[in-house]
Amino acid sequence: MSIEVYRDAWGVPHLRAADPDELACAQGRVTARDRAWQLEVERHRAQGTTAAFLGAAELGWDAFVRRARLADTARRCFARLEATDAATAGWVRAYVAGVNAGLAEGAVRAPEFAETGLTPGRWEPWTPLSVWLSTHILFAGFPTKLWRDEVARRLGEEWTELFAADGPGTAGSNGWVVAGGRTASGAALVAGDPHRFIEAPGVYQQIRLACPAYDVVGLAVPGVPGLAHFGHTGPAAWAITNAMADYQDLYRERLRRLPDGSVEALGPDGWVPAAAHTETIEVAGAEPVTIEVIETARGPVIIGTEAPCGDVSGDGGPVAADRDAAVRGPAAAPDDGPGTEDPGAELPGTEVPGTEDPGAEVPGAEIPGTEVPGTEVPGAGDRSCGEWEAVSLRYVPRVTGRLGFESLPALLRARTVADMDAALDDWVEPVNVVQAADTRGGLLHRVAGHVPVRDRSNSLRIVPAWDPAHAWGDAPAPLPRAEVRGHAVMANARGLAAPLGVEFAPPHRAARIDELLGASAAWTPETTAAIHSDTDNPSAARLLEAVRRAGEEPGAPGARLSPAASDVRARLLAWDRRMDAESTDAGLYAAVRGAVVRRLAGHEAFAALREPAPYPELFRPWLALGPRVALALETLLVAGPVPAGDVDRIVREALDEVGAGAPPAAWGATHRLAPWQALPDPDGDRWPGLGGDHDCVLSTSSVPGWTDRSARASAARYVWDLADRERSRWIVPFGASGVPGDPHHRDQLPLWLRGELAPVTTDWNHLTEEHDPR
């Protein structure tokens, strides 16, 4: 083999090899050496075996992964890849061979293996596909459909979409492309930052992949070959954000067990056999748990696999909160400051008064909230012991056997935006908005992915499995694209991808980036960093207007603000709306906002939604009232079931509460980073304070009213310069190494906190060659 490994000043690996397969092997090997613990956690998460070494807290995730058939789907997709694109399948195999070659060495360096007693396992050719699936299975936020059902059933059909917002479980990004006519160099810039639940080690890996066929720098997903999301090939560069499309469906299933133990499901053609088997999940420090895995013609049953008189263990289980994209939230410690108490929720802010135990067992008799008007079950009479209801998940790779890995090597070879456009035609999921540019002046702004065509009600709620109106069409939906005129922005707002989704991010980030880009026609990689770190908070405007009204002469006796509350009001109305970490006014705003959110969530209008939703704990971030109120605050201040007079009263009471308490600290004192780690950090208070907020361009998300801790933020930042790749910039929250104690474990954190970017070095003479033991 002719593999060469170099490192830059930040420890970022730069790899050279004789051909793409050898290079893929090198990528797998160096990733295993740098991030062995991270890779093994991801492999176990993807196959549902994490409880075996992390304990019972992971049991629910393991059960979900097995019931959703993620590993089996990855095997199917790899088998199809081998049959239709042998070259790409071989490239994936080469990456896996590299991982297996480097894991033992990497494990020796990683103390977590000794701490847990874990021994590195063997990666299979399909393992990268399963890692990709488990990382993105919750990206489309299908649990929101459970929430809408609960809202419609408990609050009323007219309120089904009341809480629409960039919800607790979604992952988004900022991204923009600036045409050469608006840059100092005359060549395009592609820039942005993906917002995900922050993990340590980071979810993105800076790397360079060079062979005679291509030379690409970018951000890789550890465990997956190539550079799927962000890359610069020299002649061309690309980046993505979450399109917020809806491409997964939940079906209300009617199941029955026959005397021989087999299972049938009611579909459009009547009762038909469903596949069923049992699996055993090993649990460290506890007895193994046996679950039943059922799959209907719609898809795997993920909720309610047990019959009412269940003869098989497995009830949908207590499921540990997942991450971003998969939603994995750290257990937040109590914050310092009013209105930020953390009652110990697995995902910060998901414990809300009146919503205790949202992971309660699903009743065997029926799944509440799944009724759709006019869809009574045909022929359903008295139910016997063996008949019950459940919810199945239909997702594209399970249906088509395709995951889109064909795009990955094609993106590495791309020299023009036309090349990238063609490569993206094979993309499957997650569904993304893509922006790209090349040195010839080409620009690209399009959606990539597979969105099924079906009835709109599929996108809103759980739909009945027996109704043929909810079947998928044979061909996917057409994918929108747009011309780039000067610059184009993508920030998860309703826009290019609007025909493909239901809920999008508020327009604030997109509008603010557009405003900032319009202020100059001489952008450089250096000046672009100011956009990444902008802390203006446009979403504060509506609450500030309510604060202004609170000081007007009230008509009701006793509604006048106290002197202390009046002082709080005056400070907020003079505030510049910037969520800077050192700003005490931003801390004051956050305290008032938190008090308003808690009072709104406690209003009698929402009493019905405070009852725990009877679904597995995994879906709690989507189903807890508090986070939903926090993220939909702008809407709820002017619309919804809470009367306007009560909203004004709530704002006055919040001002009084904050005025009567100790002065809130600077925003960064409570708004601290809270990264997820497989082994929880015993000293969570050491993480630094942050600027920004959910709707700032510097997007650092918390759950107002319950915690100021930020579990979601920029998982990377980048600027790709098409004039000179050496002038490109990038940063990740921690560092290139996943090994504690390594000089490059967290050396980029200070720059990331300051909003600075590290240089992209491409001159091999400025890199240090590393001996690669073989």
Side-chain angles (χ1 to χ4, degrees):
M1 299 178 75
S2 59
I3 294 171
E4 297 174 329
V5 180
Y6 290 76
R7 302 273 181 172
D8 67 11
W10 299 94
V12 173
H14 294 242
L15 311 178
R16 282 199 299 204
D19 59 59
D21 283 2
E22 195 169 273
L23 186 59
C25 182
Q27 182 184 5
R29 186 182 179 97
V30 79
T31 303
R33 288 164 55 190
D34 287 354
R35 300 180 179 228
W37 169 249
Q38 182 181 19
L39 287 187
E40 276 301 274
V41 170
E42 293 301 332
R43 182 179 71 86
H44 281 281
R45 283 183 61 81
Q47 63 189 23
T49 54
T50 52
F53 65 98
L54 293 179
E58 298 299 320
L59 176 60
W61 169 255
D62 286 354
F64 168 72
V65 166
R66 291 168 182 250
R67 289 188 172 118
R69 310 301 310 277
L70 295 192
D72 184 69
T73 301
R75 294 185 192 97
R76 287 188 184 184
C77 290
F78 187 78
R80 176 161 180 167
L81 187 66
E82 282 195 303
T84 60
D85 188 346
T88 297
W91 178 74
V92 175
R93 283 184 178 275
Y95 179 87
V96 168
V99 170
N100 285 328
L103 270 177
E105 179 186 352
V108 170
R109 301 177 62 210
E112 297 92 341
F113 284 90
E115 186 174 345
T116 60
L118 183 67
T119 301
R122 182 168 183 81
W123 281 49
E124 300 296 333
W126 49 266
T127 302
L129 284 74
S130 65
V131 168
W132 187 262
L133 270 172
S134 68
T135 300
H136 296 106
I137 188 64
L138 295 176
F139 247 54
F142 67 79
T144 296
K145 296 174 185 182
L146 301 174
W147 168 253
R148 292 197 199 105
D149 259 0
E150 292 298 298
V151 171
R153 184 174 69 89
R154 301 181 186 202
L155 205 59
E157 290 283 343
E158 68 273 25
W159 305 117
T160 302
E161 298 181 64
L162 173 65
F163 295 88
D166 184 15
T170 57
S173 304
N174 297 322
W176 59 94
V177 58
V178 183
R182 300 191 61 81
T183 69
S185 69
L189 294 172
V190 179
D193 58 318
H195 307 149
R196 303 179 69 132
F197 279 88
I198 299 299
E199 301 179 25
V203 298
Y204 284 114
Q205 170 196 30
Q206 298 153 302
I207 199 166
R208 182 185 186 183
L209 306 173
C211 65
Y214 46 76
D215 183 342
V216 191
V217 296
L219 298 161
V221 175
V224 178
L227 303 166
H229 288 158
F230 312 97
H232 195 329
T233 71
W238 79 96
I240 62 94
T241 69
N242 187 348
M244 308 298 285
D246 179 80
Y247 49 90
Q248 300 166 336
D249 285 346
L250 294 178
Y251 286 84
R252 179 189 179 195
E253 299 279 358
R254 175 63 57 82
L255 304 175
R256 68 183 182 188
R257 194 177 303 280
L258 301 183
D260 64 1
S262 63
V263 176
E264 290 185 332
L266 181 65
D269 299 321
W271 292 97
V272 297
H277 68 276
T278 60
E279 295 187 15
T280 299
I281 303 174
E282 299 295 330
V283 184
E287 292 298 313
V289 173
T290 299
I291 65 169
E292 186 170 26
V293 177
I294 299 173
E295 185 167 9
T296 74
R298 273 66 58 195
V301 172
I302 60 168
I303 299 172
T305 55
E306 79 289 358
C309 300
D311 51 358
V312 178
S313 173
D315 57 5
V319 184
D322 182 43
R323 66 175 175 186
D324 103 39
V327 178
R328 294 196 302 207
D335 285 334
D336 300 320
T340 58
E341 297 81 12
D342 178 2
E346 188 72 19
L347 181 71
T350 58
E351 289 291 352
V352 183
T355 61
E356 293 78 9
D357 191 23
E361 293 185 2
V362 178
E366 70 173 274
I367 304 296
T370 58
E371 283 77 5
V372 179
T375 58
E376 292 77 12
V377 180
D382 294 334
R383 281 190 265 182
S384 67
C385 179
E387 189 177 311
W388 75 102
E389 291 179 358
V391 176
S392 64
L393 171 66
R394 188 169 179 83
Y395 60 102
V396 173
R398 188 68 184 165
V399 175
T400 66
R402 295 188 62 245
L403 197 52
F405 268 43
E406 298 91 336
S407 293
L408 302 185
L411 285 170
L412 298 176
R413 296 191 299 265
R415 295 292 180 268
T416 66
V417 294
D419 295 338
M420 291 182 174
D421 199 9
L424 292 166
D425 286 341
D426 286 323
W427 192 270
V428 175
E429 77 165 64
V431 179
N432 294 321
V433 175
V434 183
Q435 290 178 336
D438 63 33
T439 54
R440 301 179 185 181
L443 299 166
L444 179 67
H445 188 198
R446 64 163 289 185
V447 177
H450 183 124
V451 179
V453 174
R454 72 274 204 220
D455 189 86
R456 174 170 167 76
S457 61
N458 288 43
S459 296
L460 294 174
R461 305 270 294 276
I462 307 171
V463 293
W466 52 86
D467 187 344
H470 300 293
W472 286 10
D474 293 333
L479 299 175
R481 60 179 62 231
E483 181 181 353
V484 178
R485 297 179 179 177
H487 66 262
V489 179
M490 50 181 187
N492 319 117
R494 191 177 301 275
L496 184 66
L500 305 176
V502 175
E503 293 192 13
F504 294 84
H508 305 303
R509 287 185 284 117
R512 179 62 175 165
I513 295 169
D514 184 69
E515 175 189 1
L516 293 171
L517 288 175
S520 174
W523 288 102
T524 67
E526 293 76 17
T527 59
T528 297
I531 297 179
H532 282 126
S533 55
D534 185 79
T535 59
D536 181 65
N537 187 6
S539 68
R542 194 163 284 173
L543 179 55
L544 292 176
E545 171 58 23
V547 167
R548 184 194 62 77
R549 290 198 310 272
E552 297 176 347
E553 196 66 29
R560 188 185 302 273
L561 290 177
S562 68
S566 294
D567 290 343
V568 171
R569 174 182 177 273
R571 278 184 60 188
L572 289 180
L573 294 182
W575 174 48
D576 62 5
R577 282 195 339 191
R578 304 197 74 88
M579 301 295 290
D580 296 328
E582 64 275 11
S583 171
T584 54
D585 286 344
L588 184 69
Y589 165 76
V592 172
R593 178 179 60 180
V596 170
V597 168
R598 288 192 300 275
R599 282 171 167 77
L600 274 176
H603 192 277
E604 61 183 9
F606 296 130
L609 290 173
R610 283 194 291 274
E611 292 299 318
Y615 296 114
E617 192 177 355
L618 171 65
F619 306 126
R620 186 170 61 180
W622 288 268
L623 296 169
L625 176 62
R628 283 291 179 181
V629 170
L631 290 165
L633 179 61
E634 278 189 283
T635 299
L636 297 177
L637 287 171
V638 297
V642 179
D646 285 0
V647 170
D648 289 342
R649 172 182 55 79
I650 283 170
V651 172
R652 289 195 301 270
E653 290 174 351
L655 291 170
D656 281 330
E657 175 190 322
V658 174
W667 177 224
T670 57
H671 190 56
R672 297 195 299 274
L673 185 64
W676 183 90
Q677 298 173 91
L679 297 179
D681 192 333
D683 187 16
D685 288 339
R686 68 190 174 87
W687 292 106
L690 303 176
D693 199 25
H694 186 74
D695 290 319
C696 298
V697 178
L698 182 61
S699 185
T700 53
S701 298
S702 59
V703 184
W706 276 270
T707 180
D708 285 344
R709 291 291 182 92
S710 179
R712 200 175 91 183
S714 297
R717 301 184 189 115
Y718 58 89
V719 182
W720 302 141
D721 189 346
L722 273 300
D724 181 358
R725 190 168 66 167
E726 190 90 7
R727 294 188 61 207
S728 297
R729 298 288 186 270
W730 57 7
I731 200 75
V732 292
F734 301 115
S737 173
V739 179
D742 187 281
H744 302 297
H745 185 220
R746 292 181 180 163
D747 58 334
Q748 295 186 49
L749 180 58
L751 271 71
W752 182 83
L753 290 169
R754 295 196 299 266
E756 299 177 16
L757 305 176
V760 172
T761 302
T762 56
D763 186 339
W764 295 97
N765 294 316
H766 294 160
L767 304 172
T768 301
E769 186 170 9
E770 176 181 273
H771 176 60
D772 182 17
R774 289 191 287 272

